[in-house]
Amino acid sequence: MGFNNNNLESFKNKKDLIDELYYYKSIILKKIKNGDYNSALEKVRSALVLIEEHKDSFNIEKELLDFYNINKKVRDDLVNHRMIYERRFNNLLKEKLSENNLENFSKLLAMLKNEVDQNLDKYNLQHISANITKYFKYIKKMYEILSCYRVLNYHNASDKIFDFVRDIKTENFPNLKMLISLTYQNLIRNRLYLCSKECDKLTLSDLSQKMAINQDQLIDFINLIQKQPKSPIQDYIPRTQEVVFKKSRY
């Protein structure tokens, strides 16, 4: 007996058909045991086609229900295995990232990627693999930004951050979005600190030009950091549109 659907018409009695279905079932159960779920699903589909072709000739409702249940079990097992990797990836996306832990985080993500790729076809993990690959692309860009940031290349880092934010906007990578936000805040804060070393105060217009940020965004950031202990901003005077820096430098 085999899995040749071209021989469907050869079953002239129910016993031969049941024997063939039993053979299908034994192969399917072995594949399930070995975790070969996609191949098991193919055999289930073949068995269901065989049953469909003969349901008008024989009373095989019991066998039909049996293979429906097997089909559900295989699909459920496949989904459960896929969910294990999805949960692991989603849990990593909840990890709080910083410049200091980005390397260790990348190692954990690489370990997950290796496991995913090893079971890519077995559990249909192509979507997860693609998302991890995309995530690594943003990590690479993040390192480029941090490199500019560390050497105080403000404008280059700022441009790269804006590009990064635009590209990642539609992605569901919350911890990377938070990291780029914090990095940008630190970049602006350090730039303001340099300005505070040069001037006691600046007009909002002049500071906006120095920072290469529009005035509304600059005001929002000043309001955000002004009350922070290490903020270089002492006050913003809306009436004169002047930014006053702290005299005691941090």
Side-chain angles (χ1 to χ4, degrees):
M1 294 183 183
F3 297 110
N4 188 352
N5 288 335
N6 293 326
N7 294 328
L8 293 179
E9 298 301 326
S10 64
F11 294 100
K12 302 301 182 182
N13 62 75
K14 183 176 179 179
K15 182 181 181 304
D16 289 343
L17 176 60
I18 296 300
D19 287 345
E20 181 75 355
L21 291 174
Y22 180 82
Y23 181 63
Y24 270 68
K25 184 176 179 179
S26 65
I27 296 297
I28 291 167
L29 293 178
K30 287 180 181 178
K31 290 183 177 295
I32 294 174
K33 185 177 180 180
N34 293 331
D36 191 0
Y37 296 104
N38 285 308
S39 181
L41 281 175
E42 290 180 8
K43 302 310 178 189
V44 170
R45 284 192 288 267
S46 295
L48 289 173
V49 169
L50 186 61
I51 292 172
E52 184 69 24
E53 290 291 330
H54 291 81
K55 68 179 183 180
D56 293 333
S57 302
F58 306 114
N59 180 12
I60 47 178
E61 288 297 320
K62 178 178 178 297
E63 287 71 24
L64 179 61
L65 180 60
D66 190 22
F67 276 95
Y68 274 151
N69 289 334
I70 293 174
N71 184 61
K72 183 179 184 304
K73 173 180 170 50
V74 176
R75 291 185 181 279
D76 287 347
D77 286 352
L78 186 58
V79 168
N80 288 336
H81 279 87
R82 190 185 303 125
M83 286 298 298
I84 290 173
Y85 291 96
E86 286 185 358
R87 280 195 296 268
R88 289 177 62 186
F89 182 46
N90 289 333
N91 285 338
L92 284 176
L93 296 182
K94 296 175 184 177
E95 289 289 327
K96 185 176 181 180
L97 294 180
S98 69
E99 183 179 346
N100 294 329
N101 71 6
L102 187 58
E103 182 177 355
N104 286 335
F105 177 87
S106 298
K107 291 178 181 178
L108 291 175
L109 189 61
M111 291 171 60
L112 176 59
K113 179 67 163 62
N114 184 55
E115 289 186 42
V116 166
D117 288 347
Q118 286 180 353
N119 295 285
L120 194 66
D121 296 324
K122 188 175 183 180
Y123 302 135
N124 297 338
L125 303 176
Q126 289 81 1
H127 179 67
I128 300 174
S129 179
N131 272 337
I132 296 176
T133 298
K134 188 183 297 183
Y135 195 102
F136 270 121
K137 180 187 73 173
Y138 286 111
I139 287 181
K140 181 180 178 181
K141 290 183 178 181
M142 193 72 229
Y143 274 118
E144 292 174 359
I145 291 169
L146 292 174
S147 178
C148 295
Y149 169 79
R150 287 168 185 152
V151 297
L152 303 179
N153 190 339
Y154 171 79
H155 289 290
N156 196 7
S158 182
D159 289 343
K160 288 182 179 294
I161 287 174
F162 289 143
D163 290 341
F164 186 100
V165 170
R166 184 187 63 248
D167 292 344
I168 204 174
K169 185 176 181 180
T170 59
E171 304 295 345
N172 185 27
F173 300 151
N175 55 352
L176 267 181
K177 290 181 179 180
M178 179 59 69
L179 177 59
I180 196 65
S181 176
L182 294 174
T183 301
Y184 186 58
Q185 290 180 33
N186 289 335
L187 180 70
I188 300 298
R189 186 182 292 105
N190 289 341
R191 181 66 171 173
L192 286 171
Y193 171 67
L194 293 177
C195 290
S196 75
K197 294 176 68 176
E198 300 170 357
C199 312
D200 290 331
K201 61 182 179 179
L202 281 171
T203 66
L204 184 65
S205 176
D206 288 342
L207 186 57
S208 175
Q209 291 181 13
K210 282 179 173 289
M211 305 287 291
I213 305 175
N214 72 56
Q215 295 184 22
D216 289 338
Q217 288 179 325
L218 183 55
I219 291 173
D220 288 342
F221 188 77
I222 289 172
N223 291 333
L224 177 67
I225 72 164
Q226 187 173 336
K227 295 182 180 180
Q228 295 177 3
K230 293 186 177 182
S231 170
I233 304 294
Q234 178 175 310
D235 196 10
Y236 168 64
I237 307 171
R239 181 175 57 83
T240 59
Q241 289 197 323
E242 288 180 315
V243 178
V244 181
F245 296 105
K246 288 181 179 178
K247 293 181 180 180
S248 57
R249 313 303 185 202
Y250 67 90

